[in-house]
Amino acid sequence: MTIRRAAIEIHGAVQGVGFRPFVYRLATELELTGWVLNDVNGVFIEVEGESETIEAFTTRLQDELPVVAVIDSIEIDWLPPGGFDEFTIRRSEGMGTKTAVVLPDLATCTDCAAEIIDAANRRYRYPFTNCTNCGPRFSIIEDLPYDRPNTTMSGFEMCPACSAEYEDPADRRFHAQPNACGECGPSVSWSDLRGNTIDDDQAIDAAAAAIAEGHTVALKGIGGYQLLVDARSDAAVAHLRTSKERPHKPFAVMVPDVATAERYVDLDDAAVRLLSSPQAPIVLAAAHDGTDLSALVAPGNPTIGLMLPTTPVHHLLISRLDGPVVATSGNLTDEPIAIEDAEARSRLGDIAHGYLSNDRPIRRHVDDSVAWILEGSPRLLRRARGYAPMPVTVAEDLRAIVAVGAHLKNTIAVSVGRNVFVSQHIGDLETDEAHTAFTEVIDDLMRMYDVAPEAIAHDLHPDYLSTRYALSNPVFSDVPKVGVQHHHAHLVSCLADNATVEPALGVTWDGTGYGTDGTIWGGEFLLGDATGFERVAHLRPFRLPGGETAVREPRRSAAGVLFELGIDLTSAPYGLDSFTERDLGVLTRMLTQRNNSPLTTSAGRLFDAASAMVGLATVSSFEGQGAMALEFAASQDDPDPYPMAITKAEGPLVLDWGPMIEAMLADMGAGIDAGIVASRFHA
Ligand code: ZN
Ligand code: ZN
């Protein structure tokens, strides 16, 4: 029998997930001696015993991982025996380069959810119940390593019962940093516009009563304030729409459980798994007809975004209600979610009837994520709570780069070694609040990972606030600034996401991206990799009268497309009937003189044009509304595609939509149903 010692180094999402107790239990079960240590670089283990047992240990280590842990790499070195007597958990050491992965906030696990409804449990109805499998992480971390003094829980001293759990390697709450109970932890409070304040369990009763009466309640969630109203009440949802200045964009709905969700939408197995995963995103799914949901929740939209309760506060609140609630970010349109109590009150003062708050500070804003199932797999539409700031891991070490992102739906990223940490969704950089959040997130990720930037990457668009920040911020005055073409960034992101570096043909169809020729690109076929690209094809260009204004007015895209085809705009073609004769004269002059009418190859604007021509969206209140309406209108299963032509000249191939638009006009002139026209357009 030969005793050996193995030194094991593990990198990945292994902090704050019950990884050390898991290692401890496994090692002691196999009667191995040694130790486990968690520091800013990852988890280090030494185990001593027979070779076969150590091999069993390393196999089971990977096979029986805690649900939320992710191992990126595991390295094993063999050493001479160290003569250990037992297996121990060593203290964290806060030194070295910070490369450990910060975990996202995770929805309440089933064990914790069961405890808060068990009258015999000491956490019965305690709204901040959590364990190593669930609860806040990213939203409460002040610094690495992830230990309680480095979180916003540092002001709460654990009671003896909580301390005992925290110190016990066999307990589910061993080193659960936000561990708390009603004796020692944060508490909820309710305050309403009349000046009433109520604490603890009755606070949740008061919030539930306010929702039941049709009021809007502001709730301090895990990553910021949310606004909640009764999702069955037209009046309550209408009030929320008016006060949030959000006339049409769909709202998400929270339901207590999967069974209730299935009453409202179609869910396949993959969707159920996604909905009830620890990440617990809002899941978009096809809505059932004839339910009690207000039609104002998602007007004209055949899908509904549903989510389950994500924290004990949500569980306790929704269990007191007899129906679903709208749960939307606590903000005005286009602003980031509010996280400070005072900020929430000043920004949401006119919207909310009352506040269900608590005394656990939120360190950074994290919105609810939005996802759906596409081809059987989850796809993220908005990446925040549950996912951020998990990295994309690339093949080789990168230089330390800060990438500041685009203007709409902004996120930023920083590279540390092989990890690219992608921030939570920040939003459209249209308001002062969004710009403040943008700079805070950059500072935050750089500080958290001690990033000394060697380069800053920005979009080529000279007027994006993110570009201006990159070019003018003194922090980056001495580092190279790298302008990246918008669709090239899309292509390379897609390569990284699929863990490949080989050149590929990337098809990027979106709304707006600044091209290398100074025109607005958006219907692009780029061949390339991280080092460069060739624009091999694009949609036929057309002019957008009014430039940016066209984003909110699909009818302007229609005017640009029709003008490009040589059609007289004053002859009242489809899509332009909401313009006055005078407007049409102005548009024609703008287009003829090429005045404030930039050229674009945007697929988004082409979809907008078609939507306006079919009569679905002439003016929109959010980006994508026109294209969504066109998609929802498509009614035919196996449509006959409209023709597109490919023209070859100097430079890239041109995918010409001219024949398609002419065929559409012919169909509409012949009285063909809009559902069929929309279907043929998509085909
Ligand atoms: Zn738990
Ligand atoms: Zn306690």
Side-chain angles (χ1 to χ4, degrees):
M1 185 175 93
T2 321
I3 297 294
R4 302 184 74 189
R5 173 165 59 129
I8 303 168
E9 183 174 339
I10 298 173
H11 297 278
V14 286
Q15 289 200 332
V17 293
F19 194 75
R20 284 174 301 169
F22 159 68
V23 171
Y24 175 89
R25 282 194 296 272
L26 189 58
T28 47
E29 181 191 324
L30 293 169
E31 299 183 348
L32 293 167
T33 59
W35 51 265
V36 56
L37 167 84
N38 189 7
D39 79 2
V40 290
N41 293 303
V43 171
F44 299 85
I45 305 168
E46 288 195 7
V47 280
E48 190 161 302
E50 289 180 56
S51 303
E52 277 180 16
T53 318
I54 292 178
E55 269 161 32
F57 173 81
T58 55
T59 306
R60 288 183 57 186
L61 197 62
Q62 295 166 78
D63 291 350
E64 300 171 21
L65 270 189
V67 279
V68 291
V70 182
I71 290 181
D72 285 335
S73 70
I74 176 162
E75 286 169 38
I76 304 173
D77 279 330
W78 293 95
L79 304 170
F84 301 115
D85 298 329
E86 55 177 355
F87 194 89
T88 56
I89 294 175
R90 291 194 176 172
R91 285 220 153 277
S92 298
E93 292 168 14
M95 50 197 200
T97 318
K98 294 173 177 177
T99 58
V101 173
V102 173
L103 276 179
D105 303 299
L106 300 173
T108 308
C109 72
T110 49
D111 290 336
C112 288
E115 286 179 0
I116 61 171
I117 54 168
D118 173 6
N121 191 283
R122 73 184 192 88
R123 289 193 174 82
Y124 180 54
R125 294 193 171 180
Y126 180 57
F128 301 93
T129 300
N130 66 84
C131 72
T132 47
N133 297 321
C134 73
R137 300 280 188 280
F138 184 49
S139 63
I140 61 166
I141 291 176
E142 303 269 13
D143 200 2
L144 290 177
Y146 176 55
D147 267 334
R148 190 171 177 111
N150 285 337
T151 70
T152 63
M153 286 297 291
S154 60
F156 298 94
E157 194 178 335
M158 274 185 276
C159 68
C162 286
S163 287
E165 294 164 340
Y166 185 88
E167 299 294 343
D168 177 3
D171 195 280
R172 196 171 99 241
R173 298 196 165 91
F174 176 70
H175 285 206
Q177 306 305 343
N179 190 28
C181 74
E183 287 294 311
C184 64
S187 55
V188 287
S189 60
W190 166 259
S191 58
D192 66 23
L193 289 181
R194 299 184 196 106
N196 300 317
T197 59
I198 305 172
D199 290 332
D200 300 322
D201 213 34
Q202 286 76 39
I204 298 177
D205 291 336
I211 293 170
E213 285 166 27
H215 294 304
T216 304
V217 165
L219 179 147
K220 187 177 178 183
I222 207 157
Y225 272 85
Q226 291 170 315
L227 294 167
L228 309 181
V229 299
D230 183 341
R232 298 163 302 178
S233 162
D234 286 344
V237 181
H239 170 75
L240 186 60
R241 288 211 170 277
T242 311
S243 48
K244 264 190 72 133
E245 299 167 31
R246 181 162 149 161
H248 307 110
K249 201 173 175 182
F251 284 137
V253 172
M254 185 176 281
V255 292
D257 48 39
V258 169
T260 310
E262 285 176 327
R263 290 219 303 269
Y264 292 102
V265 293
D266 280 335
L267 295 172
D268 61 14
D269 290 348
V272 168
R273 275 198 301 279
L274 181 60
L275 191 65
S276 46
S277 67
Q279 290 77 19
I282 295 164
V283 176
L284 301 187
H288 293 164
D289 291 333
T291 67
D292 57 4
L293 276 192
S294 165
L296 298 174
V297 167
N301 192 320
T303 66
I304 299 280
L306 282 187
M307 68 197 296
L308 298 184
T310 51
T311 71
V313 181
H314 291 101
H315 279 280
L316 293 167
L317 178 64
I318 206 154
S319 69
R320 286 162 165 80
L321 293 164
D322 64 354
V325 291
V326 163
T328 184
S329 305
N331 57 8
L332 298 175
T333 290
D334 296 334
E335 288 183 358
I337 187 167
I339 59 172
E340 302 277 355
D341 297 350
E343 176 198 4
R345 275 160 221 263
S346 75
R347 280 165 62 188
L348 308 178
D350 298 337
I351 304 180
H353 169 83
Y355 293 79
L356 185 58
S357 184
N358 66 70
D359 54 351
R360 184 177 69 197
I362 299 172
R363 177 62 184 78
R364 55 185 64 75
H365 80 90
V366 192
D367 279 280
D368 292 320
S369 294
V370 183
W372 63 356
I373 299 293
L374 211 59
E375 306 276 318
S377 303
R379 305 281 166 175
L380 284 168
L381 299 167
R382 182 169 77 193
R383 184 181 179 279
R385 181 182 50 71
Y387 300 94
M390 290 296 280
V392 175
T393 303
V394 296
E396 287 173 19
D397 277 3
L398 296 172
R399 290 194 294 161
I401 303 165
V402 174
V404 296
H407 186 68
L408 297 177
K409 305 177 191 77
N410 180 274
T411 57
I412 66 108
V414 300
S415 53
V416 178
R418 288 176 52 209
N419 283 331
V420 180
F421 292 97
V422 184
S423 80
Q424 69 273 42
H425 166 89
I426 297 168
D428 300 347
L429 302 183
E430 305 263 279
T431 59
D432 288 347
E433 285 81 2
H435 191 252
T436 303
F438 163 77
T439 58
E440 282 174 359
V441 170
I442 293 172
D443 294 346
D444 186 37
L445 277 187
M446 282 177 52
R447 193 185 57 83
M448 189 178 286
Y449 288 105
D450 277 345
V451 175
E454 295 171 70
I456 183 162
H458 60 83
D459 196 283
L460 276 189
H461 200 304
D463 297 330
Y464 281 180
L465 288 178
S466 53
T467 303
R468 289 190 195 159
Y469 169 92
L471 297 181
S472 67
N473 193 292
V475 172
F476 302 100
S477 59
D478 293 332
V479 303
K481 282 99 183 152
V482 183
V484 182
Q485 200 282 322
H486 189 92
H487 305 95
H488 185 211
H490 276 302
L491 164 62
V492 179
S493 299
C494 194
L495 293 178
D497 204 22
N498 287 280
T500 180
V501 294
E502 300 297 318
L505 177 66
V507 182
T508 307
W509 282 20
D510 66 358
T512 303
Y514 194 81
T516 53
D517 57 1
T519 68
I520 302 168
W521 293 7
E524 308 307 311
F525 299 74
L526 306 185
L527 178 64
D529 58 20
T531 63
F533 70 93
E534 181 196 350
R535 188 189 195 198
V536 294
H538 57 74
L539 286 176
R540 175 177 173 181
F542 60 97
R543 289 187 182 275
L544 283 177
E548 285 292 303
T549 316
V551 175
R552 300 279 179 179
E553 293 189 28
R555 57 186 182 169
R556 285 177 184 260
S557 292
V561 161
L562 294 166
F563 180 84
E564 172 68 19
L565 294 179
I567 294 167
D568 176 8
L569 302 189
T570 58
S571 71
Y574 293 102
L576 306 186
D577 40 356
S578 64
F579 284 118
T580 64
E581 206 164 311
R582 190 176 162 276
D583 292 337
L584 291 172
V586 172
L587 289 175
T588 303
R589 265 198 309 285
M590 286 170 83
L591 287 161
T592 309
Q593 295 166 3
R594 302 180 175 182
N595 173 23
N596 191 21
S597 301
L599 271 180
T600 188
T601 54
S602 166
R605 297 296 87 78
L606 182 63
F607 275 71
D608 278 352
S611 190
M613 287 168 56
V614 177
L616 293 166
T618 53
V619 176
S620 63
S621 69
F622 64 94
E623 207 210 5
Q625 189 177 359
M628 282 167 66
L630 190 65
E631 182 181 343
F632 300 152
S635 60
Q636 231 180 355
D637 276 343
D638 191 17
D640 179 20
Y642 285 132
M644 297 271 274
I646 295 175
T647 52
K648 198 167 165 32
E650 286 287 292
L653 297 176
V654 175
L655 187 56
D656 182 3
W657 39 258
M660 173 175 74
I661 298 294
E662 277 157 6
M664 272 181 77
L665 292 171
D667 266 2
M668 290 164 66
I672 303 286
D673 178 69
I676 292 172
V677 174
S679 303
R680 297 191 66 190
F681 175 87
H682 281 91

